[in-house]
Amino acid sequence: MLSAILGIFVWSLLAPIVARRLPRIAGWVLAVVPAAATVWFVGFVPEIAAGGTVREVVAWIPGLGVNLSFYLDGLSLTFALLICGIGTLIVVYCGGYLHGDPMLPRFFLFILAFMASMLGVVLADNIVSLIVFWELTSVTSFLLIGYLHDSPQSRRSALQALLVTSMGGLVMMAGLILLGLTGGSFELTELVGQGDMLREHPYYLAILILILAGTFTKSAQFPFHFWLPNAMDAPTPVSAYLHSATMVKAGVYLMARLAPTLGGTEVWTVTLVSFGAVTALLGAILAVRQTDLKRILAYTTITALGQLTMLIGIGNTYAVETFTVYLLAHACYKGALFMGVGAVDHEAGTREVTQLGGLLALMPVTAAAIGLAALSNAGLPPFLGFIGKEFMYSSTVGLGEGEMALLGWLATAAMVASNALMIVTAGLVFVKPFLGRRTEAAGHAHEAPVSLWLGPVVLAGIGLGLGVFNGALERWFVAPVAASLTGAPMDVHVYLWGGFTMPLALSAVTVALGAAMYLGWPRVKAALDGIASALGYDSDRGWDRILKGLVRVALLQTRVIQSGYLRHYIMFTIGFTTLAVGGTMVVKGALVAPSLTAAAGAPYSAWALSLIVLASTVAAVMAESRLVAILSLGVVGVVIALIFLLYGAPDVAITQFMVETLVVIIVALVLARLPRLTAFARPDRRSAVRDGVIAVAFGAVVTAVMLAVIDLPIPLDLSEYFAERSYTEGFGRNVVNVILVDFRAMDTLGEILVVATAGLGAFALLKARPRREPPVGDTKTVGDSKPETGDRS
Amino acid sequence: METLVAFTVGVMAAGSVYLLLSHNLVRVLFGLILLSNAANFVIFAAGGMTEGLPPLIGLGEKALTGVYSNPLPQALILTAIVISFGLLAFALVLVYRGYQELGTVDSDRMRLAEPPHPDQDIPEPEEPGRLHVRDASRRVENLGSPQS
């Protein structure tokens, strides 16, 4: 499986070269590898249908539980087939649709890379590799949506999709890691066994919410649904592939994958069913308000995603069966519709439903494909979509008892309404453009080339075929996916005719309602538009407001924290350190009372030296003369050197004496060329007090840390190690020396490099004298400052 | 002894932070010098202080025996001293060159890289380079012209 993913990744890198060499047949040539992958995955179908699973592990960072492990069962195989199969058709379609586009080579790179990432998402068994592939799909889809990068609209949509899905992805990452840590494994297959423990765990709710944030954003669930229609700014093949068949289903996939691990609880069912049903209904309502064929399809995709989410939430036998049926049905008809609509757009030059009509005679093949797909979309027999609809009603009606039954009835009502609206959209997509009176825009259209109608025809045909031959569907797909969803093999039955039952009655209602609304479409649309403008809410504009707010907060924060004043930076750094360290010590109870007897028992010499240090420090701080200040600092340094000498550190003392002497001399020399301290105004009272408080607080924290440290026994094992081996292994009697040049020689090398770099930097600064255009004396070069007099006095 | 040091370094750290918070870069340099001395002192004291007895292996012996001062912090401090000297040298040259180029050592007025935002709410400090009143009489004394 890793080889399939890597193969497509490598192929994606080669794609630009192929596309440039063979511009006419690039689509057909590049489809070879996805087609081969499809065939390869088809080969697994019998094995998986027989109840088998395949697992493949490549160690990546085994120490951290991170592996490139892949898992093939009913669920992942179905998704893999959709990704590779539809992907193959899409690549062929791209070759025709974007023929002659100068950026086509790049496009192939993106779409194949996306395919490989998506394949990784559905096959990954390890949580970390899942996250990696998940983010890769976000990035590649950003590139695909923003393909028409000279259009601002397109760029905005790409950024919006990226921000929404990757923010969700980050939240989900937290949830998945929490899941892995709580469940004790980062392999999804191993977590299934921990299901009972996880559902009882106090972290369950947190895990669930965090993960659902990721899946809901990716699968465009309410209230994150707004990015999906905007993503339709991408070229049609992208919409057909990412936003119908694959990427938006990644969220659905993950929820299905985790259903046996996290599902089955009340909160799971209620959340998924209610969000799914609301999303489905909202998508359907918004869909019939559109007149752009692609936008209609985009909103019906939201409906389908909502329905799939709801089905996962319900989780009973019917729901599990419907999930597979509906997943396949939707992928087939939506892929076909998108590609067909793209062909119409390509040939007729418009996607406006109001401008199209009478295309049947002009584009018979495309018409046939769209017609078949639309019938499946409308949920009419004997298409796959019909089975999906029937079973969906069975599942919602049988949701449960008591409050759950109420939820079930609400969901049923929402489904009847949204399915009826789906019939309207099917009518809008097929009946109007193809059967209606021929319009002006349609006048010069003609049949699309084979690359453009192949995909729609194949997918629509599959939708019909699987509906009729539903025995194969049951055995090859429904049963294995049901086993993955519930965690155990189960008895499933898929059929077209279930007798005169409640679902059939609901179906009849749906069709009647849908037909009526289609006939009165202009009035329905006007009414819905009226309601929408009365509500005055628009998620898309809400998003803009959120983004603007975010930018404003960032600006404000930058202005406060990064004010451009050096002392503010220092203040924030020191202040934060003080609070973080001091706060932690207080919270953790790490404060240690000083032992006054120990302090009093220190030798007189130590007291005397300490007092000199204290006095010199105060003098250095208070000094108004540069000379006094630097001499006081020199005294501090020399006294500390004396302490080093007294306490057994002659090497350090000698170095300290030398460096301190150098510092005093050099600084004094330079200071003579700098302004006097008194050239500055004394800080005003307020800032003096503020600085003083920060300084004292920091000093107090240093003392507190120091007291806590000396209260602990000193770990001497390293020192003893050096003491024992200095002579025997380093051949030196001065242990400090041997540590520096032998045991820690690399540190010393680093230190030499640092000093050398500082020296070079200082040298360069002194030597570099850029020629400046305005004369040096021109104070305007100082930016905004006023002419100076004070500093130079 | 270490308890005494704890308080001493606390005062040194407080003093150095007070100096670092000044908008006079010369005082910031002083703060830097004081802070590195305080840091070295902290490392030394944290490793335990033993009077006399440097960690030297006597002639004829193969390892340190008996009471000796902890060699590890000493090695660390030796590195730290040299590095902080390098840092100080660089900072010193930076301030000096800054003064030559910009004509000021007031960090508040060095805004070439980060010019103030037009509607920055933080008020510009009042004439930060202003002469202190007491010093007005001494302004004739010009130390090092910035363009020399």
Side-chain angles (χ1 to χ4, degrees):
Chain A
M1 282 175 268
L2 178 63
S3 46
I5 297 169
L6 280 183
I8 300 179
F9 264 128
V10 171
W11 192 235
S12 76
L13 292 177
L14 296 176
I17 303 169
V18 175
R20 226 165 270 140
R21 283 281 162 82
L22 308 163
R24 300 196 141 268
I25 50 166
W28 296 98
V29 175
L30 287 172
V32 167
V33 168
T38 315
V39 172
W40 191 68
F41 279 115
V42 167
F44 283 101
V45 170
E47 187 185 342
I48 303 293
T53 56
V54 184
R55 195 156 176 272
E56 192 182 297
V57 182
V58 179
W60 185 4
I61 317 172
L64 296 174
V66 177
N67 294 308
L68 278 171
S69 54
F70 300 98
Y71 183 64
L72 201 62
D73 64 350
L75 185 65
S76 44
L77 179 61
T78 307
F79 269 95
L81 282 174
L82 284 179
I83 291 161
C84 295
I86 298 184
T88 308
L89 298 172
I90 292 282
V91 170
V92 170
Y93 185 84
C94 292
Y97 188 84
L98 292 171
H99 182 70
D101 188 319
M103 293 193 296
L104 186 59
R106 185 191 309 185
F107 185 80
F108 278 122
L109 166 68
F110 295 160
I111 203 146
L112 286 166
F114 169 79
M115 191 184 299
S117 324
M118 194 62 211
L119 206 52
V121 169
V122 299
L123 293 177
D125 189 21
N126 187 279
I127 286 178
V128 178
S129 30
L130 173 80
I131 294 169
V132 170
F133 286 119
W134 181 283
E135 294 301 333
L136 275 175
T137 64
S138 292
V139 172
T140 44
S141 80
F142 167 75
L143 294 170
L144 284 168
I145 299 171
Y147 173 66
L148 302 168
H149 55 73
D150 41 8
S151 138
Q153 178 65 25
S154 181
R155 289 199 302 270
R156 172 182 184 270
S157 301
L159 189 64
Q160 187 182 50
L162 180 73
L163 287 178
V164 173
T165 55
S166 61
M167 270 196 269
L170 283 179
V171 176
M172 186 191 78
M173 182 165 85
L176 283 175
I177 290 173
L178 193 58
L179 171 70
L181 294 177
T182 315
S185 167
F186 277 91
E187 304 293 322
L188 292 170
T189 41
E190 286 169 23
L191 285 167
V192 174
Q194 303 289 320
D196 289 327
M197 184 273 281
L198 284 166
R199 277 183 284 263
E200 297 294 316
H201 202 274
Y203 288 167
Y204 172 73
L205 200 60
I207 293 174
L208 189 63
I209 292 173
L210 292 173
I211 292 180
L212 288 187
T215 60
F216 278 16
T217 46
K218 196 82 163 179
S219 281
Q221 297 295 299
F222 175 81
F224 307 112
H225 60 279
F226 54 88
W227 69 265
L228 183 56
N230 288 338
M232 296 299 144
D233 291 328
T236 300
V238 176
S239 315
Y241 193 39
L242 272 67
H243 306 122
S244 67
T246 55
M247 186 186 85
V248 288
K249 293 219 174 85
V252 171
Y253 163 78
L254 190 60
M255 286 189 269
R257 173 57 80 208
L258 292 173
T261 312
L262 297 175
T265 58
E266 195 167 318
V267 50
W268 168 275
T269 306
V270 172
T271 312
L272 262 59
V273 171
S274 33
F275 274 93
V278 168
T279 307
L281 189 58
L282 186 74
I285 291 174
L286 292 171
V288 297
R289 285 184 52 204
Q290 310 299 320
T291 54
D292 178 342
L293 285 174
K294 244 177 109 178
R295 289 211 151 233
I296 296 177
L297 294 178
Y299 281 106
T300 57
T301 304
I302 296 182
T303 301
L305 294 169
Q307 288 172 334
L308 287 170
T309 304
M310 184 192 76
L311 290 168
I312 299 170
I314 295 173
N316 58 23
T317 312
Y318 277 119
V320 168
E321 289 166 350
T322 322
F323 177 78
T324 321
V325 174
Y326 201 66
L327 177 74
L328 291 172
H330 177 256
C332 290
Y333 75 67
K334 194 51 66 66
L337 288 178
F338 262 120
M339 285 195 261
V341 162
V344 169
D345 187 16
H346 201 258
E347 302 305 325
T350 179
R351 303 193 301 245
E352 276 299 309
V353 70
T354 47
Q355 291 177 21
L356 289 167
L359 288 171
L360 180 61
L362 300 171
M363 306 175 69
V365 184
T366 310
I370 291 195
L372 292 179
L375 287 172
S376 188
N377 182 13
L380 296 176
F383 291 89
L384 208 45
F386 174 73
I387 306 181
K389 182 158 57 76
E390 294 288 289
F391 277 61
M392 190 187 298
Y393 290 147
S394 303
S395 73
T396 51
V397 169
L399 182 55
E401 283 157 15
E403 287 161 0
M404 280 298 183
L406 180 68
L407 184 67
W409 282 111
L410 286 174
T412 310
M415 286 311 108
V416 170
S418 37
N419 283 330
L421 290 165
M422 291 286 244
I423 293 180
V424 179
T425 60
L428 289 175
V429 172
F430 176 63
V431 180
K432 239 175 140 37
F434 288 94
L435 302 183
R437 201 177 307 138
R438 189 182 295 189
T439 57
E440 208 177 315
H444 41 79
H446 47 80
E447 187 53 78
V450 57
S451 56
L452 289 192
W453 58 251
L454 180 73
V457 168
V458 169
L459 289 177
I462 293 176
L464 176 63
L466 285 180
V468 175
F469 302 103
N470 46 51
L473 171 72
E474 178 185 311
R475 196 168 57 239
W476 301 126
F477 295 108
V478 179
V481 174
S484 320
L485 245 62
T486 53
M490 62 189 294
D491 209 14
V492 295
H493 298 287
V494 179
Y495 41 80
L496 274 168
W497 177 249
F500 292 100
T501 53
M502 174 72 114
L504 190 69
L506 289 170
S507 256
V509 173
T510 310
V511 173
L513 200 64
M517 282 198 284
Y518 175 68
L519 293 175
W521 177 61
R523 244 173 297 163
V524 172
K525 178 173 162 15
L528 289 173
D529 285 348
I531 296 174
S533 62
L535 282 176
Y537 174 75
D538 182 351
S539 320
D540 205 27
R541 240 172 281 147
W543 166 259
D544 279 343
R545 265 202 293 277
I546 292 175
L547 268 195
K548 255 187 221 137
L550 204 67
V551 171
R552 218 172 305 141
V553 170
L555 266 179
L556 193 77
Q557 176 205 298
T558 310
R559 237 177 276 159
V560 172
I561 298 179
Q562 308 212 2
S563 58
Y565 292 111
L566 179 66
R567 58 204 173 94
H568 287 175
Y569 296 152
I570 296 176
M571 193 193 307
F572 282 121
T573 312
I574 299 272
F576 181 79
T577 312
T578 309
L579 285 180
V581 176
T584 311
M585 290 189 77
V586 170
V587 171
K588 298 268 179 190
L591 294 175
V592 177
S595 148
L596 291 178
T597 47
Y604 293 119
S605 59
W607 270 101
L609 291 174
S610 292
L611 285 176
I612 299 175
V613 169
L614 292 180
S616 315
T617 302
V618 172
V621 173
M622 305 298 284
E624 297 218 333
S625 146
R626 291 164 295 183
L627 202 60
V628 171
I630 192 62
L631 285 179
S632 308
L633 289 171
V635 170
V636 172
V638 167
V639 171
I640 288 180
L642 279 176
I643 293 174
F644 289 153
L645 197 59
L646 276 177
Y647 288 88
D651 299 304
V652 187
I654 291 165
T655 314
Q656 173 84 3
F657 273 128
M658 201 172 71
V659 167
E660 209 54 50
T661 314
L662 269 175
V663 166
V664 170
I665 293 172
I666 296 175
V667 172
L669 279 176
V670 176
L671 280 186
R673 299 180 144 258
L674 291 177
R676 295 166 160 274
L677 295 179
T678 43
F680 276 75
R682 279 166 175 276
D684 61 73
R685 226 185 133 69
R686 233 184 78 215
S687 53
V689 169
R690 185 191 57 198
D691 292 355
V693 168
I694 295 173
V696 170
F698 182 73
V701 166
V702 169
T703 301
V705 170
M706 203 55 205
L707 288 172
V709 166
I710 58 179
D711 193 46
L712 297 170
I714 301 168
L716 285 172
D717 27 355
L718 257 183
S719 306
E720 276 158 12
Y721 174 92
F722 292 132
E724 277 165 28
R725 287 174 176 71
S726 271
Y727 187 70
T728 50
E729 292 179 16
F731 304 105
R733 295 187 180 279
N734 183 336
V735 180
V736 176
N737 223 328
V738 175
I739 293 176
L740 281 175
V741 300
D742 195 318
F743 293 118
R744 310 290 311 158
M746 289 308 279
D747 278 0
T748 309
L749 181 66
E751 169 205 335
I752 293 169
L753 282 177
V754 169
V755 175
T757 312
L760 274 177
F763 179 75
L765 269 175
L766 285 172
K767 283 290 164 192
R769 307 237 170 213
R771 227 152 37 97
R772 292 184 304 181
E773 277 317 302
V776 184
D778 186 352
T779 45
K780 283 205 175 98
T781 55
V782 190
D784 58 309
S785 67
K786 285 161 261 166
E788 311 235 347
T789 47
D791 281 348
R792 297 178 200 168
S793 65
Chain B
M1 178 62 208
E2 284 90 347
T3 315
L4 195 61
V5 175
F7 285 97
T8 313
V9 292
V11 174
M12 287 172 76
S16 70
V17 166
Y18 187 81
L19 288 169
L20 283 173
L21 289 173
S22 166
H23 54 96
N24 182 350
L25 286 178
V26 175
R27 284 170 79 89
V28 174
L29 285 177
F30 293 161
L32 212 55
I33 298 173
L34 196 54
L35 192 63
S36 45
N37 270 327
N40 293 340
F41 206 3
V42 164
I43 300 173
F44 191 67
M49 293 168 76
T50 320
E51 254 179 293
L53 305 168
L56 298 172
I57 300 172
L59 280 175
E61 286 177 40
K62 291 208 177 288
L64 276 181
T65 45
V67 183
Y68 55 87
S69 61
N70 194 348
L72 189 61
Q74 297 191 25
L76 294 178
I77 297 170
L78 275 173
T79 307
I81 291 177
V82 178
I83 295 227
S84 55
F85 178 64
L87 172 71
L88 177 72
F90 186 75
L92 187 68
V93 172
L94 204 59
V95 170
Y96 174 63
R97 288 288 293 138
Y99 179 60
Q100 284 189 322
E101 293 293 323
L102 303 173
T104 179
V105 289
D106 183 349
S107 66
D108 284 7
R109 307 185 77 164
M110 296 180 162
R111 301 300 299 266
L112 276 184
E114 288 176 275
H117 192 273
D119 45 285
Q120 187 149 28
D121 352 320
I122 298 163
E124 284 281 327
E126 302 160 26
E127 300 178 49
R130 187 176 48 138
L131 279 177
H132 196 255
V133 191
R134 284 190 307 167
D135 239 39
S137 56
R138 294 193 213 160
R139 61 187 301 175
V140 279
E141 190 183 359
N142 194 330
L143 282 160
S145 150
Q147 281 82 45
S148 62

